[in-house]
């Protein structure tokens, strides 16, 4: 189609369809009205009207993370674009493929402080993987295709395409996606062959090995998780999983030590501290995982699989970097491991497992049950047990409930767990759950929420109703910003400054006002019934679980401490008060 | 902590809007040092620009800088000239000196020693053009200071590898 018979808006829509997009999360406004016109005239793309643009990006993230596809957002210029910034930063930190189409004032007005003008590419440059301002009609089809390529290949991430109104209304010619390689952007896929050989040699010499599994495995696609599971089982080595990697390796597998890090499991953190060969698959040595860097896994040789060379040697020096896609490199490792002549020292491995079992024996997730108040851990445990075997997706907000969800909800497969890891965005869970539900209309989608986070994007309750999305919000309601309160108790001398919400809404009435079903449990004996009723209800439900107010989340590695200095429960005090250096850390 | 090193890095980029902002934003956003940075189009047919950046940091930081630069979508190649082998680097400065009498003569004499050229002169001032290493320029400017230095404009370092290989 070489004739210039399509408008810019039609070209945008055609490109989305050609890239397999079926849903766009958006909010109209002056600068994007031409696209809304083009949307009106077609039936291939579904538009989900959000209540605030920030919600649109989290919905696209939820959609993307639960499907492996690119999530698409459409917002107007100025405030539409600036409202999207938090979501874009979230997607950048957690490597989520999102394309955000932003309207822009016409090209001749750019720079004139026009109505609803913002320097969108300037503002979003540091919070996107890449961004484009389309200034010429002829560039539009190429930019659209490039945006998809950049968003989903390599280390995935958010891409902004800023579209001036005159481009959207002008006439141009559409060109379909082609296979011409990008001029400069060529992410690595296969790891260097010699490095793979070196890695398996090192793995085979291990006496206390450990797999350290991150979100890169999930981003690589479900095949990567299968290969990882094969490799872990073949070696017989233990595996620990990051917050972002939950589900990449089955939690029920006896070789799975669970999550590591600040609120990770005792056995996982001590294994990380004591291992002699670490095989990092798609994790990035985040500060929540490493604790005090100087004492992070001090005696280990480190293998690091990552698609992003800038993640290698950033925080922790590694011995064998394997730059490439996790799934591809795992395949390379599997082949090399099977061909290996030398065998690992089975006796040493047995001793290592014996040690790990001893740590496991501490049962670090044990908590004191109560007959009078609902323990938050118990609530999440029951939710897990009652949804076991169902087709369930979990999103979370950010805080204590998020960590408890990561600890007590077990994930057997990838793409089932959506949480804001890197940025820690309160308000993520509700819109993310809506995005997941759009992609999986028949599945059970639960936002495990805290009441404070939940209020941050509360306006999206109305979106769920408009599209008949039966999202469930399971609010762990302790009336505090629980994690802030916990830090104030443990690190700031019990000065509970501004962490109590004194005027919470009645969530049951709020649900009803928004045409959701509202349920509440305040006593332990009400919990199971509320969970059952929540699952059995066809439409969206808020389950307000009123929990023990001052429960703390353990285990915990205090900031600035090392893995072997973790606190297991409320009765334990840190060996030394948290240092100045530790206090400075977030 | 490892010692801080000074590295000269060449970056070949698409000559497109915003590319310099991406590079500079990366340095400021991640707290890296820039000692000097130059940019100009070097291949109009292919719309390529070359950025020369002089930076300091520990070896781990230098490795990060290169990886982060390479990660930018419009970046074609990142070469650490300091590591890759012998290279030459030059900087150009325009130096304005206001002087009369002996000082005026002295400034000309020093310019001669440094092979600087006077490219503008009035009865009481010169503008010298000088090129060479950063150290040489620093030395020249230092000597002009007491003679009546008014203004300095420097390009920052440009660099290229020795030998027959291209970037």
């Amino acid at each position: 189609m070489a004739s210039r018979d399509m408008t810019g808006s039609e070209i945008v829509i055609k490109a989305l369809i050609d890239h397999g997009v079926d849903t766009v999360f958006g909010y109209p406004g002056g600068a994007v009205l031409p696209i809304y016109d083009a949307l009106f005239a077609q039936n291939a793309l579904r538009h989900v009207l959000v209540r605030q643009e920030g919600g649109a990006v989290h919905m696209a993230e939820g959609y993307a993370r639960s499907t492996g596809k690119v999530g698409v957002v459409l917002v107007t210029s100025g405030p539409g674009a600036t409202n999207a910034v938090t979501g874009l930063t979230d997607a950048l930190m957690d490597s989520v493929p999102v394309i955000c189409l932003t309207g822009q004032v016409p090209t001749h007005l750019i720079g004139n402080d026009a109505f609803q003008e913002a320097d969108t590419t300037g503002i979003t440059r540091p919070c996107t993987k890449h961004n484009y301002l389309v200034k010429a009609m002829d560039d539009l089809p190429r930019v659209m295709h490039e945006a998809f390529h950049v968003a989903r290949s390599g280390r995935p991430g958010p891409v902004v395409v800023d579209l001036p109104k005159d481009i959207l209304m002008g006439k141009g010619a559409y060109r379909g996606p082609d296979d011409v390689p990008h001029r400069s952007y060529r992410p690595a896929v296969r790891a260097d062959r010699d490095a793979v050989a070196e890695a398996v040699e090192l793995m085979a010499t291990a006496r206390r090995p450990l797999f350290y599994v991150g979100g890169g495995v999930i981003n690589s696609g479900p095949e990567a998780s299968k290969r990882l599971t094969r490799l872990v089982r073949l070696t017989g080595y233990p595996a620990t999983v990051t917050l972002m990697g939950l589900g990449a390796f089955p939690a029920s597998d006896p070789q799975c030590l669970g999550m590591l890090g600040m609120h990770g499991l005792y056995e996982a953190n001590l294994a990380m501290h004591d291992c002699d060969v670490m095989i990092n698959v798609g994790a990035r040595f985040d500060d929540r995982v490493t604790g005090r860097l100087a004492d992070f896994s001090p005696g280990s040789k480190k293998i690091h699989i990552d698609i992003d060379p800038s993640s290698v040697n950033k925080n922790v020096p590694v011995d064998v970097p394997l730059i490439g896609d996790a799934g591809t490199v795992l395949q390379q490792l599997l082949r090399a491991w099977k061909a290996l002549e030398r065998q690992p020292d089975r006796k040493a491995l047995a001793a290592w497992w014996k040690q790990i079992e001893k740590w496991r024996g501490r049962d670090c997730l044990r908590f004191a049950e109560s007959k009078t108040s609902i323990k938050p851990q118990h609530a999440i445990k029951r939710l897990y047990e009652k949804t076991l075997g169902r087709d369930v997706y979990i999103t979370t907000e950010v805080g204590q409930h998020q960590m408890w969800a990561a600890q007590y909800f077990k994930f057997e497969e990838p793409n089932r767990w959506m949480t804001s890891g890197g940025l820690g965005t309160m308000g993520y869970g509700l819109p993310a759950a809506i995005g997941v539900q759009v992609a999986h209309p028949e599945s059970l989608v639960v936002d495990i929420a805290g009441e404070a986070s939940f209020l941050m994007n509360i306006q999206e309750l109305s979106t769920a109703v408009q599209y008949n999305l039966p999202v469930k919000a399971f609010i762990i309601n302790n009336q505090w910003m629980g994690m802030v309160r916990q830090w104030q108790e443990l690190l700031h001398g019990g000065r509970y400054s501004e962490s109590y919400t004194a005027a919470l809404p009645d969530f049951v009435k709020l649900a009803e006002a928004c045409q959701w079903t509202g349920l509440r449990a305040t006593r332990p004996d009400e919990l199971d019934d509320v969970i059952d009723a929540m699952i059995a209800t066809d439409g969206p439900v808020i389950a307000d679980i009123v929990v023990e107010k001052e429960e703390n989340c353990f285990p915990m590695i205090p900031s600035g401490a090392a893995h072997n200095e973790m606190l297991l429960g409320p009765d334990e005090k840190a060996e030394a008060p948290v240092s100045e250096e530790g206090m400075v850390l977030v | 902590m490892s010692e801080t090193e000074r590295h000269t890095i060449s970056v070949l980029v698409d000559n497109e809007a915003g590319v310099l902002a991406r590079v500079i934003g990366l340095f400021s956003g991640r707290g890296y040092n820039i000692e000097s940075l130059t940019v100009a189009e070097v291949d109009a047919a292919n719309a390529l620009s070359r950025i020369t950046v002089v930076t300091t940091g520990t070896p781990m930081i230098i490795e990060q800088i290169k990886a982060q630069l390479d990660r930018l979508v419009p970046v074609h190649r990142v070469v650490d000239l300091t590591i890759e082998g012998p290279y030459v680097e030059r900087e150009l400065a325009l130096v304005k000196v206001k002087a009369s009498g002996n000082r005026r003569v002295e400034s000309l004499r020093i310019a001669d020693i440094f092979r600087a050229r006077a490219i503008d002169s009035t009865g009481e001032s010169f503008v010298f053009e000088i090129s060479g290493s950063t150290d040489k320029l620093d030395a020249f400017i230092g000597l002009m200071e007491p003679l009546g230095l008014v203004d300095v404009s420097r390009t920052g370092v440009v660099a290229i590898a020795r030998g027959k290989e291209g970037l």
Side-chain angles (χ1 to χ4, degrees), chain A residues 131 183-184 308 310 313, chain B residues 14 22 46 63-64 71 73:
Chain A
N131 62 18
R183 264 165 66 87
S184 53
D308 178 1
S310 77
N313 290 330
Chain B
D14 279 330
R22 284 180 210 285
N46 292 306
E63 191 187 329
Q64 261 299 296
R71 195 158 88 118
V73 169

Side-chain angles (χ1 to χ4, degrees), chain B:
Chain B
M1 230 23 215
S2 334
E3 289 288 303
T4 295
E5 298 172 356
R6 178 179 185 272
H7 283 242
T8 304
I9 298 168
S10 270
V11 192
L12 204 59
V13 300
D14 279 330
N15 181 18
E16 61 177 35
V19 68
L20 187 60
R22 284 180 210 285
V23 170
I24 291 173
L26 188 141
F27 277 78
S28 65
R30 293 184 183 266
Y32 304 142
N33 298 313
I34 300 181
E35 283 205 351
S36 95
L37 185 142
T38 67
V39 57
E41 188 173 69
V42 291
D43 179 350
N46 292 306
L48 290 174
S49 290
R50 181 165 173 147
I51 295 174
T52 307
V53 55
V54 180
T55 183
T56 54
T58 61
M60 213 158 147
I61 293 287
I62 300 285
E63 191 187 329
Q64 261 299 296
I65 291 173
K66 288 183 281 185
Q68 293 288 354
L69 283 169
D70 213 16
R71 195 158 88 118
L72 298 176
V73 169
V75 166
H76 288 250
R77 248 168 95 54
V78 178
V79 174
D80 186 341
L81 293 170
T82 306
I83 283 184
E84 293 287 312
Y87 69 101
V88 285
E89 58 176 51
R90 287 287 181 277
E91 192 179 352
L92 185 137
L94 302 177
V95 180
K96 186 178 284 183
V97 179
K98 177 172 176 281
S100 55
N102 278 346
R103 291 187 174 197
R104 185 173 167 85
V105 178
E106 180 66 4
S107 70
L108 267 180
R109 239 169 44 82
I110 293 171
D112 192 41
I113 294 168
F114 277 78
R115 296 189 196 175
R117 292 194 303 141
I119 55 171
D120 175 70
S121 72
T122 66
E124 45 184 355
S125 72
F126 289 117
V127 173
F128 294 112
E129 172 199 311
I130 178 170
S131 74
S133 70
T134 298
D135 288 348
K136 175 180 163 183
L137 268 55
D138 288 345
F140 179 72
I141 292 163
L143 288 169
M144 288 298 149
E145 185 99 57
L147 299 177
L149 184 70
V150 174
D151 229 354
V152 180
S153 179
R154 294 171 72 149
T155 58
V157 169
V158 291
I160 204 160
R162 290 182 185 272
K164 62 183 188 322
E165 302 298 332
L167 188 63

